[in-house]
Amino acid sequence: MEKVMMAVEQVGDDLAVVSQAFDRLRAAARQDAFPPADRRRGWLTALERALVRRQDALVQAVDADFGGRLAHETLFAEIFVSLEGLRHARRHLAGWMKPRRRSVPLTLGPGRAWVQPQPVGVVGVIAPWNYPLFLALGPLTGALAAGNRVLLKPSELTPRTTTLIADIVAEAVPGDVAAVVSGGPEVGAHFGRLPFDHILFTGSTRVGRMVMKAAAENLTPVTLELGGKSPALVLPDADLASAATDIAYGKFTNAGQTCVAPDYALVPRSRVQDFVTALAQAVPGYFPADGGASAMSAIFGGAGRARMAALVAEARGRGAEVRELGPPVPGLDIGPAVVLDPPEDITLQREEIFGPVLPIVPYDDVGQALDYVRDRPRPLAFYLFGRDRALIDRALKTTAAGGVVVNDTLIHVAVEDLPFGGIGPSGMGRYHGRDGFDTFSHLKAVFDRKGPRLDRLARPPLKPLHRWLTKLLIGG
C-alpha cells in the first residue's frame, strides 16, 4: 500500500511519470498485440478477487473521501456492479473474441468474409469522483477483456479511494498491463494529449469537450460519458405510490450525485399534490431521520454544498415553492426536497442538479410532456412510469435518450448486457458487456479469396466478355 501511495502521489508532481507509464504500456501492447483468452480471463479473475478482499477498506475509503457515504450504496452501486461486470466479461469473453462471419455476395465470390476483433492498443480511462470505483473499474473491465493495456486516472478528489484502486490494480495485473496515475487539472490535460488508441472519459460536458479537443490532436477515438437533465415522466395512468417510491430511490441515492439520477419529474397537473405526498411517504423509508438529519450520503465537498444552497436560494428567491421531504441532508441546511413548477430560466432547470432536490414540472397532456423532453438537450437517461403500452411505445419512439427504464430508475446501468452511453450533450459511444468489448476493439474486416478466380474475367483489357459481364452486373 505504501509503495502505491508513493507512486500515486509522485505523479501529481511529475508529468514525466505519466508519460513513462504510457510508454511502458505502449511497448507492451506492441510486443504482445493479441493476448489469448486465458490470459485475459486471468486478469479479470485477479481483479475480482482483489476487489472482494478489499471491499471493507473500499467502503471506508469512499466514506472518508465523501465525508459521509452510506455503506450499502458503496457495496451495491460500486462494488457489486463492478464485480458483475468482471464476472459477465469473464463468462462471455471467448465468444466475444471469435471471428464474426459475414456474407459474401455471389457476384463477388468465391471467398470468405469475417470480422476479427482486435485490441486497439493502449486505452486511457478518466474516472470521476461521484462513483469513484465503479466508473473506474467498469471501463477497465471492458478494455482488458478486449486485450488492451490501460492507463487509468481516477479522480484526484477521492485520494483514499484512488490509492486503493491503484493497490488493487497493481496486485491483480502486471504493471505493463494496467497502471494507475493521479493528479489535478495539469495532469489531466497532459493525460488527454497522450496518443492513446482510445480514451473513455466520464464527467461533465464542459470537461468532456476539452478531452475531445485534446484527443483530436492525435485523432484518438473517444467515448464520452457525460450527464444532463434526465427526466422522469409520470404518465396519467401511473401507479403514483409505486412511481414515487422508485423516483425517490433514484433521485436521492448518493444524495442525488448520480449521472443517471432523475433530474426532474413531469407529472399530470391534477396529480402533482398526490405525487408529492407519495414522495414524502417514500423518502423516510429509504433515508430515515437519524440524530436530526436524514440518513443520507453527504454532498461532496464545500463547493458542492455551497452550490446546492445557492440553487435552492435562487429558486425560493424567484417565488418557487420548495417543499422539504425530511430533515436536513448532511452538510446542508435543507432536507431532500421538491421544487414545484419552477421557472424555466433558473439554474435548477438549466443545469444538471447533482443534489437531493427534484423539480416537479406539471403538464396537461402527454403530447405537451413529450414536447418538453424533445425541446431540451438529449438526456443520458429517461424514466417512464405508466401502464398504457401505447403511450409507453409512443414515448420510446418519439424521444431520444442514452437509455430508458420503464417503471423503475437507475437499474439499467446494472444490466451488464445492455449498452451504457449517452447521446448528443449526454455523451457519445457506449460500453458495458459486449458493447464495451467492441468499443475497445478494432473490428477488423477480413476477406479471404478462394478460387476459381472468375472475377478476373471482368477486369480490363476491355473485351466483349468484359462489357457483357459489366452490363449483367449493373443492369439497364
Side-chain angles (χ1 to χ4, degrees):
M1 172 72 80
E2 185 175 327
K3 286 184 178 179
V4 174
M5 176 67 86
M6 290 173 61
V8 169
E9 288 179 348
Q10 182 184 4
V11 170
D13 300 323
D14 188 0
L15 300 182
V17 177
V18 181
S19 296
Q20 290 164 7
F22 173 82
D23 290 342
R24 181 176 69 251
L25 295 166
R26 169 59 58 87
R30 288 178 175 174
Q31 186 175 7
D32 181 22
F34 198 91
D38 58 349
R39 196 183 312 157
R40 302 185 199 185
R41 276 195 294 263
W43 297 339
L44 301 176
T45 299
L47 280 170
E48 176 189 345
R49 291 172 178 169
L51 186 55
V52 170
R53 279 195 299 271
R54 296 182 179 272
Q55 58 183 294
D56 293 337
L58 284 163
V59 168
Q60 294 169 13
V62 175
D63 179 53
D65 282 335
F66 267 70
R69 166 68 106 65
L70 299 181
H72 71 82
E73 290 183 352
T74 299
L75 285 168
F76 180 79
E78 301 244 43
I79 295 173
F80 167 73
V81 291
S82 296
L83 289 169
E84 281 294 288
L86 288 162
R87 292 161 180 164
H88 181 83
R90 193 181 68 243
R91 286 194 301 268
H92 296 280
L93 178 59
W96 295 343
M97 291 177 64
K98 289 181 180 178
R100 305 171 191 179
R101 187 173 178 178
R102 298 295 173 90
S103 62
V104 177
L106 182 64
T107 53
L108 299 180
R112 294 185 304 127
W114 68 90
V115 171
Q116 176 68 62
Q118 178 180 356
V120 294
V122 183
V123 174
V125 176
I126 305 175
W129 57 264
N130 61 319
Y131 286 88
L133 182 67
F134 174 52
L135 295 178
L137 293 190
L140 177 66
T141 297
L144 291 180
N148 298 288
R149 270 57 180 183
V150 184
L151 189 58
L152 170 62
K153 182 191 176 301
S155 175
E156 73 279 7
L157 301 178
T158 54
R160 299 168 185 84
T161 308
T162 292
T163 297
L164 273 174
I165 292 172
D167 195 29
I168 287 169
V169 171
E171 175 187 321
V173 299
D176 63 354
V177 171
V180 177
V181 298
S182 185
E186 185 180 4
V187 171
H190 179 69
F191 190 100
R193 290 192 296 266
L194 292 171
F196 286 103
D197 299 294
H198 197 105
I199 290 178
L200 185 142
F201 167 81
T202 304
S204 71
T205 301
R206 178 185 65 83
V207 179
R209 289 191 177 100
M210 296 167 60
V211 170
M212 189 173 183
K213 184 176 180 179
E217 294 297 319
N218 296 304
L219 295 180
T220 298
V222 295
T223 297
L224 301 178
E225 300 299 343
L226 308 176
K229 300 190 70 63
S230 297
L233 173 55
V234 179
L235 293 169
D237 70 335
D239 180 327
L240 275 191
S242 179
T245 297
D246 293 327
I247 292 172
Y249 179 76
K251 177 61 187 179
F252 300 115
T253 289
N254 201 27
Q257 299 164 117
T258 305
C259 59
V260 290
D263 221 56
Y264 64 94
L266 289 156
V267 181
R269 191 176 302 276
S270 63
R271 307 189 78 188
V272 166
Q273 296 304 322
D274 291 338
F275 178 70
V276 174
T277 299
L279 279 175
Q281 293 171 347
V283 168
Y286 293 124
F287 312 101
D290 181 14
S294 293
M296 185 178 290
S297 293
I299 297 294
F300 189 91
R305 293 188 288 273
R307 178 177 176 272
M308 281 309 307
L311 293 181
V312 173
E314 181 191 18
R316 282 177 168 152
R318 291 290 303 279
E321 181 183 353
V322 178
R323 194 177 302 180
E324 296 182 41
L325 306 175
V329 177
L332 292 180
D333 293 330
I334 66 163
V338 295
V339 179
L340 302 180
D341 200 5
E344 282 302 304
D345 60 342
I346 64 173
T347 309
L348 276 173
Q349 291 298 87
R350 292 184 289 105
E351 297 181 2
E352 187 176 8
I353 296 171
F354 242 57
V357 176
L358 178 70
I360 298 178
V361 179
Y363 69 86
D364 297 306
D365 64 75
V366 173
Q368 177 192 13
L370 294 176
D371 284 342
Y372 190 95
V373 174
R374 285 191 292 262
D375 289 343
R376 281 150 183 80
R378 294 172 171 182
L380 185 56
F382 184 21
Y383 302 113
L384 288 165
F385 292 87
R387 290 168 283 200
D388 187 326
R389 293 309 308 183
L391 283 182
I392 291 170
D393 289 343
R394 177 183 171 189
L396 288 173
K397 291 174 180 176
T398 60
T399 61
V404 180
V405 180
V406 179
N407 291 319
D408 205 348
T409 58
L410 307 187
I411 197 67
H412 63 301
V413 178
V415 180
E416 194 63 26
D417 206 31
L418 279 175
F420 178 75
I423 179 172
S426 61
M428 63 178 65
R430 59 195 60 81
Y431 70 112
H432 288 193
R434 177 167 170 167
D435 295 276
F437 178 91
D438 286 355
T439 286
F440 298 120
S441 297
H442 171 52
L443 302 180
K444 183 165 58 181
V446 182
F447 185 82
D448 184 8
R449 169 62 78 190
K450 301 293 183 182
R453 298 294 304 278
L454 299 178
D455 63 298
R456 291 174 178 165
L457 297 175
R459 296 178 183 176
L462 299 181
K463 296 178 180 178
L465 179 60
H466 178 274
R467 287 190 286 269
W468 178 82
L469 284 173
T470 301
K471 186 175 180 62
L472 179 66
L473 293 172
I474 296 174

